[in-house]
Amino acid sequence: MPYKIGIYGSNVSESDEAVQLAQVLGEELARHNVIVITGGCSGMPYAVAYAARQHGAQIWGFTPEYNEEGQKKAYPNDDITIYSKLFYVPEEYNRLFYLEQPLSPERDWGARLKYRNVVSTIHADAGILISGSWGTMNEFTNLIYDGKPIGVLTGTGGLADELPEWFGRLRKKSNSAVFFHNSPRELVSMLLKALEEGKQPDEFC
């Protein structure tokens, strides 16, 4: 079974330079026969997944939507045929989040995003951050608590460019190997090596 690497980042496209890095990242993941996992959304993860798919990779999407109709409505500009598998939120999940009354639409959406984040990171062997904001932070901490290797593609803006400064100061003990690099090729190489070695460092790299 190939390694499954989750791509977590901004659900909007960032700078042209960041998008170019996303495309190179997708090509590199495909070259290594990696199964690419995303949150089934638009933006930077989609740019990576689209490029990876064009070069033959399998793409698994874990979407916060309930079904294909909702997916197409939420992301009308995305081509859902790039996904080898698209995993939806089960209709009955809502019962887990309320005791007496159903959640409001706003809270329901937030709960589905959290559900998606947990399920997608559980199924990934490792993760790569590209740009990103609060949702990406949630996925990052999920990976940290699971002790999974993480690559951070710097030079893409957002969370990916903020993490190097403060991660070392805030990090609690974890088995995660965390790598920072501005080269998609180098980052993928470092991440795959960590997976193969089962690396569990005392400090971030």
Side-chain angles (χ1 to χ4, degrees):
M1 183 73 169
Y3 287 122
K4 301 183 295 295
I5 295 183
I7 306 299
Y8 306 106
S10 304
N11 65 356
V12 296
S13 294
E14 301 290 352
S15 66
D16 291 343
E17 293 80 6
V19 172
Q20 289 173 3
L21 287 172
Q23 293 168 345
V24 174
L25 176 59
E27 293 172 14
E28 191 66 12
L29 291 168
R31 190 172 74 83
H32 287 280
N33 193 35
V34 166
I35 295 174
V36 176
I37 286 177
T38 78
C41 62
S42 299
M44 301 304 289
Y46 179 82
V48 175
Y50 188 88
R53 181 59 181 158
Q54 302 314 301
H55 290 79
Q58 291 188 58
I59 313 298
W60 291 8
F62 289 84
T63 173
E65 298 299 328
Y66 286 122
N67 49 44
E68 182 176 324
E69 180 182 0
Q71 181 73 11
K72 290 180 176 179
K73 183 177 180 180
Y75 310 106
N77 297 320
D78 292 357
D79 176 10
I80 68 170
T81 66
I82 70 166
Y83 298 105
S84 310
K85 297 181 180 181
L86 197 52
F87 301 90
Y88 298 102
V89 174
E91 296 278 356
E92 64 273 14
Y93 101 100
N94 208 317
R95 300 192 194 101
L96 301 174
F97 291 92
Y98 66 86
L99 296 176
E100 296 180 358
Q101 295 182 345
L103 298 175
S104 67
E106 294 78 14
R107 294 185 65 196
D108 173 68
W109 175 243
R112 280 189 279 147
L113 287 173
K114 295 184 187 76
Y115 178 96
R116 182 275 308 273
N117 291 353
V118 170
V119 175
S120 68
T121 51
I122 284 174
H123 283 83
D125 297 312
I128 294 178
L129 273 58
I130 179 166
S131 189
S133 187
W134 292 114
T136 309
M137 175 72 82
N138 180 216
E139 291 154 331
F140 176 72
T141 55
N142 289 347
L143 294 165
I144 285 288
Y145 280 110
D146 284 345
K148 295 178 177 179
I150 305 168
V152 180
L153 185 57
T154 57
T156 56
L159 180 64
D161 285 351
E162 297 296 328
L163 272 175
E165 281 194 31
W166 55 262
F167 174 65
R169 298 195 301 271
L170 298 182
R171 185 173 188 260
K172 66 179 293 182
K173 187 172 178 60
S174 168
N175 288 331
S176 288
V178 181
F179 304 97
F180 298 93
H181 212 291
N182 61 6
S183 165
R185 293 186 177 90
E186 291 295 327
L187 195 63
V188 170
S189 177
M190 295 161 75
L191 206 57
L192 290 175
K193 184 177 180 181
L195 283 169
E196 290 163 4
E197 295 178 350
K199 188 173 182 181
Q200 297 182 348
D202 293 325
E203 295 184 355
F204 72 94
C205 303

